[in-house]
Short mmCIF file of all heavy atoms in Angstrom, two decimals:
data_model
loop_
_atom_site.label_atom_id
_atom_site.label_comp_id
_atom_site.label_asym_id
_atom_site.label_seq_id
_atom_site.Cartn_x
_atom_site.Cartn_y
_atom_site.Cartn_z
N LEU B 7 -19.72 11.65 -27.50
CA LEU B 7 -20.31 10.65 -26.61
C LEU B 7 -21.43 9.90 -27.32
O LEU B 7 -21.51 8.67 -27.26
CB LEU B 7 -20.88 11.32 -25.36
CG LEU B 7 -20.01 11.27 -24.12
CD1 LEU B 7 -20.63 12.08 -23.01
CD2 LEU B 7 -19.81 9.82 -23.66
N GLN B 8 -22.30 10.66 -28.00
CA GLN B 8 -23.43 10.02 -28.69
C GLN B 8 -22.92 9.05 -29.76
O GLN B 8 -23.46 7.97 -29.94
CB GLN B 8 -24.34 11.10 -29.28
CG GLN B 8 -25.26 11.67 -28.20
CD GLN B 8 -25.95 12.96 -28.61
OE1 GLN B 8 -25.42 13.70 -29.43
NE2 GLN B 8 -27.10 13.23 -28.01
N GLU B 9 -21.86 9.45 -30.42
CA GLU B 9 -21.25 8.59 -31.43
C GLU B 9 -20.74 7.30 -30.77
O GLU B 9 -20.99 6.18 -31.25
CB GLU B 9 -20.10 9.36 -32.10
CG GLU B 9 -19.53 8.71 -33.35
CD GLU B 9 -20.62 8.37 -34.36
OE1 GLU B 9 -21.57 9.19 -34.56
OE2 GLU B 9 -20.54 7.28 -34.94
N ALA B 10 -20.05 7.48 -29.64
CA ALA B 10 -19.48 6.32 -28.93
C ALA B 10 -20.59 5.38 -28.47
O ALA B 10 -20.45 4.15 -28.51
CB ALA B 10 -18.65 6.80 -27.75
N ILE B 11 -21.71 5.96 -28.02
CA ILE B 11 -22.83 5.14 -27.54
C ILE B 11 -23.39 4.32 -28.70
O ILE B 11 -23.69 3.13 -28.55
CB ILE B 11 -23.92 6.04 -26.92
CG1 ILE B 11 -23.42 6.60 -25.58
CG2 ILE B 11 -25.22 5.27 -26.72
CD1 ILE B 11 -24.31 7.65 -24.97
N LYS B 12 -23.51 4.96 -29.85
CA LYS B 12 -24.03 4.26 -31.02
C LYS B 12 -23.13 3.07 -31.37
O LYS B 12 -23.59 1.94 -31.51
CB LYS B 12 -24.08 5.25 -32.21
CG LYS B 12 -25.20 4.96 -33.20
CD LYS B 12 -25.24 6.04 -34.28
CE LYS B 12 -25.19 5.40 -35.65
NZ LYS B 12 -24.87 6.37 -36.72
N THR B 13 -21.84 3.34 -31.45
CA THR B 13 -20.88 2.28 -31.80
C THR B 13 -20.94 1.14 -30.79
O THR B 13 -21.00 -0.04 -31.15
CB THR B 13 -19.45 2.85 -31.80
OG1 THR B 13 -19.47 4.09 -32.48
CG2 THR B 13 -18.49 1.89 -32.46
N GLN B 14 -20.99 1.52 -29.52
CA GLN B 14 -20.99 0.50 -28.47
C GLN B 14 -22.28 -0.32 -28.53
O GLN B 14 -22.26 -1.53 -28.30
CB GLN B 14 -20.80 1.18 -27.10
CG GLN B 14 -20.63 0.23 -25.92
CD GLN B 14 -19.42 -0.68 -26.08
OE1 GLN B 14 -18.48 -0.38 -26.81
NE2 GLN B 14 -19.45 -1.81 -25.40
N GLY B 15 -23.40 0.34 -28.83
CA GLY B 15 -24.68 -0.35 -28.97
C GLY B 15 -24.58 -1.43 -30.04
O GLY B 15 -25.07 -2.55 -29.88
N GLU B 16 -23.90 -1.09 -31.13
CA GLU B 16 -23.73 -2.06 -32.22
C GLU B 16 -22.88 -3.25 -31.78
O GLU B 16 -23.16 -4.39 -32.12
CB GLU B 16 -23.09 -1.37 -33.43
CG GLU B 16 -24.12 -0.60 -34.25
CD GLU B 16 -23.49 0.50 -35.11
OE1 GLU B 16 -22.26 0.46 -35.32
OE2 GLU B 16 -24.25 1.40 -35.53
N VAL B 17 -21.84 -2.94 -31.00
CA VAL B 17 -20.98 -4.02 -30.48
C VAL B 17 -21.83 -5.02 -29.69
O VAL B 17 -21.74 -6.23 -29.88
CB VAL B 17 -19.86 -3.45 -29.59
CG1 VAL B 17 -19.12 -4.57 -28.86
CG2 VAL B 17 -18.88 -2.62 -30.42
N VAL B 18 -22.69 -4.48 -28.82
CA VAL B 18 -23.52 -5.34 -27.97
C VAL B 18 -24.48 -6.17 -28.83
O VAL B 18 -24.61 -7.38 -28.64
CB VAL B 18 -24.30 -4.49 -26.94
CG1 VAL B 18 -25.32 -5.34 -26.19
CG2 VAL B 18 -23.34 -3.82 -25.95
N ARG B 19 -25.14 -5.50 -29.78
CA ARG B 19 -26.08 -6.22 -30.64
C ARG B 19 -25.38 -7.36 -31.40
O ARG B 19 -25.89 -8.46 -31.50
CB ARG B 19 -26.75 -5.25 -31.62
CG ARG B 19 -28.04 -4.62 -31.05
CD ARG B 19 -28.78 -3.78 -32.08
NE ARG B 19 -28.00 -2.64 -32.56
CZ ARG B 19 -27.89 -1.48 -31.91
NH1 ARG B 19 -28.53 -1.29 -30.78
NH2 ARG B 19 -27.15 -0.50 -32.41
N LYS B 20 -24.20 -7.03 -31.89
CA LYS B 20 -23.44 -8.02 -32.66
C LYS B 20 -23.12 -9.25 -31.79
O LYS B 20 -23.34 -10.40 -32.19
CB LYS B 20 -22.15 -7.38 -33.17
CG LYS B 20 -21.33 -8.27 -34.12
CD LYS B 20 -20.51 -7.42 -35.08
CE LYS B 20 -19.63 -8.28 -35.97
NZ LYS B 20 -18.50 -8.89 -35.26
N LEU B 21 -22.64 -8.97 -30.57
CA LEU B 21 -22.29 -10.07 -29.66
C LEU B 21 -23.51 -10.94 -29.37
O LEU B 21 -23.43 -12.17 -29.34
CB LEU B 21 -21.73 -9.52 -28.35
CG LEU B 21 -20.29 -9.01 -28.42
CD1 LEU B 21 -19.89 -8.36 -27.10
CD2 LEU B 21 -19.33 -10.16 -28.72
N LYS B 22 -24.66 -10.26 -29.15
CA LYS B 22 -25.87 -11.02 -28.83
C LYS B 22 -26.28 -11.89 -30.01
O LYS B 22 -26.64 -13.05 -29.84
CB LYS B 22 -27.01 -10.06 -28.45
CG LYS B 22 -26.87 -9.50 -27.04
CD LYS B 22 -28.05 -8.60 -26.65
CE LYS B 22 -27.88 -8.10 -25.21
NZ LYS B 22 -28.85 -7.02 -24.89
#
Side-chain angles (χ1 to χ4, degrees):
Chain B
L7 261 175
Q8 280 166 333
E9 191 52 41
I11 289 171
K12 211 176 126 195
T13 315
Q14 186 60 22
E16 279 158 17
V17 170
V18 171
R19 271 187 298 278
K20 186 152 176 289
L21 284 174
K22 283 183 178 169

